[in-house]
């Protein structure tokens, strides 16, 4: 009975807190990305375009404005966000603060993926700066895993080609140390959006046991609730 009750309390719709629009290198304008996500059966979506010091004050206010205008016309929760990308670690705290003050409700830091030459120390700086999520954290160290747990910063399992190469390591180490996980698509095109069933299969393929899967979806829900509480 308890098992059935738990299954019913977890929504079967996808929560995806890492996607890109044409405001960085995605293919879709925000409204189309939102429409595609709605049509794909999403429950919640964050638009988190790549930002650095050059474009942060250009992009975030526009994403905020688009979402404010469409909010009452869509059936899904849409959150303005940002992905702080290839920024020298010592500049990350200021940019996280700036992103939040501009209205980003989900702040992702583009983590130390093995698919790109991300500067060492980026994962650490993201945790220190209280980012919400470190995307594709690559071969994150034990010290950083423990620090992420302490600061309640979520690590990402990703469906994105290349970045997903380290999913197995991230899943194993996060489970070992009790670090919160979420699963996102890092969508750049409409075909990158996935169903929750596919998300579940990706988590299982990363080596996560079936009985731990719901806790990952629950954590995504908590991230959305926390984001909605931000003023
Ligand atoms: Zn990224
Ligand atoms: Zn991304």
């Amino acid at each position: 009975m308890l098992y059935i009750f738990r299954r019913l309390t977890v929504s079967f719709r996808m929560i995806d807190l890492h996607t890109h629009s044409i405001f960085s290198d995605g293919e879709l304008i925000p409204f189309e990305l939102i429409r595609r996500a709605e049509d794909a059966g999403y429950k919640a979506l964050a638009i988190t375009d790549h930002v650095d010091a050059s474009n942060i004050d250009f992009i975030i206010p526009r994403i905020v404005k688009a979402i404010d205008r469409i909010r009452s016309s869509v059936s899904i929760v849409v959150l303005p966000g940002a992905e702080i990308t290839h920024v020298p670690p010592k500049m990350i705290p200021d940019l996280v603060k700036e992103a939040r003050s501009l209205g980003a409700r989900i702040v992702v830091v583009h983590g130390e993926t093995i698919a790109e030459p991300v500067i060492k120390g980026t994962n650490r700086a993201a945790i220190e700066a209280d980012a919400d999520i470190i995307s594709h954290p690559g071969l994150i160290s034990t010290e950083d895993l423990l620090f992420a747990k302490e600061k309640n910063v979520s690590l990402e399992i990703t469906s994105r080609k290349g970045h997903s190469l380290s999913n197995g390591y991230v899943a194993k180490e996060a489970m070992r140390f009790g670090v919160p996980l979420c699963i996102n698509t890092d969508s750049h095109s409409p075909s990158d959006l996935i169903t929750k069933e596919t998300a579940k299969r990706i988590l299982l393929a990363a080596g996560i046991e079936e009985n731990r899967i719901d806790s990952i979806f629950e954590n995504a829900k908590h991230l959305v609730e926390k984001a909605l509480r931000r003023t």
Side-chain angles (χ1 to χ4, degrees):
M1 268 311 279
L2 183 66
Y3 175 73
I4 292 166
F5 178 70
R6 277 193 54 236
R7 299 272 306 187
L8 288 175
T9 56
V10 176
S11 159
F12 285 89
R13 292 160 67 203
M14 181 68 187
I15 294 175
D16 186 353
L17 302 177
H18 178 182
T19 66
H20 299 276
S21 77
I22 54 153
F23 280 97
S24 58
D25 56 354
E27 289 175 11
L28 305 176
I29 55 173
F31 278 12
E32 184 170 354
L33 176 57
I34 294 163
R35 176 62 202 136
R36 296 276 190 163
E38 192 178 31
D39 185 59
Y42 272 40
K43 178 188 173 75
L45 168 80
I47 302 178
T48 54
D49 278 301
H50 296 289
V51 298
D52 63 16
S54 70
N55 63 2
I56 188 166
D57 58 343
F58 172 74
I59 291 176
I60 297 174
R62 277 160 185 79
I63 301 290
V64 168
K65 178 174 144 191
I67 292 171
D68 279 349
R69 290 212 185 166
I70 205 170
R71 183 169 292 118
S72 62
S73 306
V74 289
S75 60
I76 65 173
V77 174
V78 191
L79 300 165
E83 184 180 21
I84 294 171
T85 305
H86 286 289
V87 164
K90 68 171 192 224
M91 293 171 61
I92 288 175
D94 280 350
L95 286 178
V96 169
K97 273 196 208 108
E98 191 173 347
R100 294 212 194 278
S101 73
L102 289 164
R105 287 175 181 267
I106 292 287
V107 177
V108 178
V109 171
H110 184 89
E112 295 176 39
T113 172
I114 63 167
E116 289 173 21
V118 176
I119 303 171
K120 197 168 158 39
T122 296
N123 289 342
R124 186 81 184 173
I127 301 163
E128 266 161 5
D130 287 313
D132 296 300
I133 297 168
I134 304 179
S135 53
H136 42 70
L139 296 169
I140 183 168
S141 68
T142 301
E143 296 73 39
D144 289 352
L145 284 154
L146 291 168
F147 193 31
K149 182 186 178 183
E150 185 192 322
K151 299 266 273 173
N152 201 27
V153 173
S154 296
L155 303 183
E156 181 188 77
I157 300 295
T158 179
S159 58
R160 186 127 188 104
K161 213 166 117 185
H163 296 325
S164 60
L165 286 169
S166 57
N167 274 352
Y169 173 85
V170 174
K172 174 170 69 75
E173 294 296 283
M175 285 290 153
R176 185 168 146 215
F177 292 106
V179 188
L181 282 172
C182 58
I183 174 163
N184 298 317
T185 65
D186 200 354
S187 284
H188 288 68
S189 8
S191 59
D192 295 336
L193 300 171
I194 61 174
T195 62
K196 192 168 176 187
E197 201 46 48
T198 299
K200 183 177 172 182
R201 284 159 55 82
I202 292 166
L203 292 170
L204 290 169
I208 293 166
E209 288 171 23
E210 175 120 35
N211 63 6
R212 311 286 288 271
I213 303 275
D214 279 353
S215 68
I216 295 170
F217 293 137
E218 275 296 331
N219 183 46
K221 247 173 74 180
H222 292 318
L223 286 167
V224 171
E225 284 159 7
K226 192 170 153 194
L228 289 172
R229 282 199 302 271
R230 283 205 174 96
T231 50

